[in-house]
């Protein structure tokens, strides 16, 4: 499984029409993008139409679809797996890593990549860890991919890649701006990391 250069994380503050439109533009602009469906309010049945549409979009553009801690829904819509620590037959593809302990747990658990955060200041999150967290993560991760998350946009993504990130994850930068232009600018200097051998 490839490590995505860009991860688009959805936000339930936007309606489904907006989310699918942005996902389609981003996936078209940056082939191999991963869309991570995150919604803490709705149940699986309510989310299934959106998840199904995002599966169609990501498949059309050679991308990946992950669902946050919803293994049953992930299996129903044919997602690539889940983000988080849920258990079940659906593989855990990515996990959060807010410190080196969580990064080691992700590695030990066989995750394909870890979302290291928060790199920059993000509303409602802990103090930013800075790009030094990515340098440390890269030295600890081994074959596991390292994805930077937290306040990342087209102005600071390069610093994340330079510090060792294989990819970056964005929410506000893509959902509230020109998705096509911003997505392309974010990955301009992304390393070519198609996959890491197991």
């Amino acid at each position: 499984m490839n490590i995505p250069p860009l991860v688009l994380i959805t936000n339930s503050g936007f309606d489904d029409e907006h989310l699918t439109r942005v996902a389609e533009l981003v996936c078209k602009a940056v082939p191999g993008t991963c869309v991570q469906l995150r919604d803490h309010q709705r149940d699986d049945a309510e989310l299934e139409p959106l998840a199904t549409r995002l599966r169609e979009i990501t498949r059309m553009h050679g991308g990946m679809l992950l669902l946050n801690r919803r293994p049953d829904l992930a299996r129903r819509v044919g997602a690539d797996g889940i983000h988080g620590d849920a258990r079940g037959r659906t593989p855990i593809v990515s996990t959060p890593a807010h410190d080196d302990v969580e990064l080691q747990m992700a590695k030990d658990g066989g995750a394909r990549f870890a979302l290291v955060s928060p790199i920059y200041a993000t509303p409602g999150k802990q103090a930013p860890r800075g790009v030094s967290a990515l340098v440390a993560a890269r030295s600890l991760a081994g074959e596991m991919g390292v994805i930077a998350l937290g306040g990342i946009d087209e102005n600071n993504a390069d610093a994340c890649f330079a510090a060792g990130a294989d990819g970056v994850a964005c929410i506000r930068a893509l959902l509230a701006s020109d998705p096509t232009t911003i997505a392309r600018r974010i990955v301009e200097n992304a390393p070519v990391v198609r996959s890491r051998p197991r």
Side-chain angles (χ1 to χ4, degrees), residues 30-47:
V30 181
T33 289
C34 172
V35 176
Q36 182 181 317
L37 176 54
R38 182 176 70 178
D39 189 310
H40 302 305
Q41 279 76 46
R42 293 182 284 181
D43 61 25
D44 284 7
E46 293 173 303
L47 267 184

Side-chain angles (χ1 to χ4, degrees), residues 60-176:
M60 184 184 307
H61 297 288
M64 182 188 306
L65 174 65
L66 302 181
L67 274 61
N68 271 40
R69 297 178 172 85
R70 294 176 183 268
D72 293 337
L73 180 57
R75 284 192 290 270
R76 283 206 301 274
V77 302
D80 296 284
I82 57 173
H83 169 81
D85 55 4
R87 293 171 175 81
R89 291 177 296 165
T90 304
I92 299 173
V93 176
S94 72
T95 63
H98 300 98
D99 53 40
D100 291 345
V101 172
E102 289 188 351
L103 184 81
Q104 187 63 52
M105 290 172 61
K107 181 180 177 182
D108 293 344
R112 287 297 297 145
F113 52 88
L115 270 60
V116 178
S117 71
I119 304 304
Y120 300 107
T122 306
K125 301 298 182 181
Q126 69 189 62
R129 300 172 65 195
V131 294
S132 61
L134 297 171
V135 176
R138 181 69 275 150
S139 68
L140 293 171
E143 297 171 350
M144 182 176 65
V146 171
I147 306 292
L149 170 64
I152 296 168
D153 58 26
E154 72 275 22
N155 298 311
N156 56 31
D158 283 0
C160 296
F161 291 126
D166 299 309
V168 296
C170 303
I171 306 172
R172 292 172 298 155
L174 294 173
L175 290 173

Side-chain angles (χ1 to χ4, degrees), residues 163-188:
D166 299 309
V168 296
C170 303
I171 306 172
R172 292 172 298 155
L174 294 173
L175 290 173
S177 303
D178 171 6
T180 298
T181 302
I182 298 300
R184 287 174 177 160
R185 287 178 179 170
I186 285 173
V187 300
E188 276 179 340

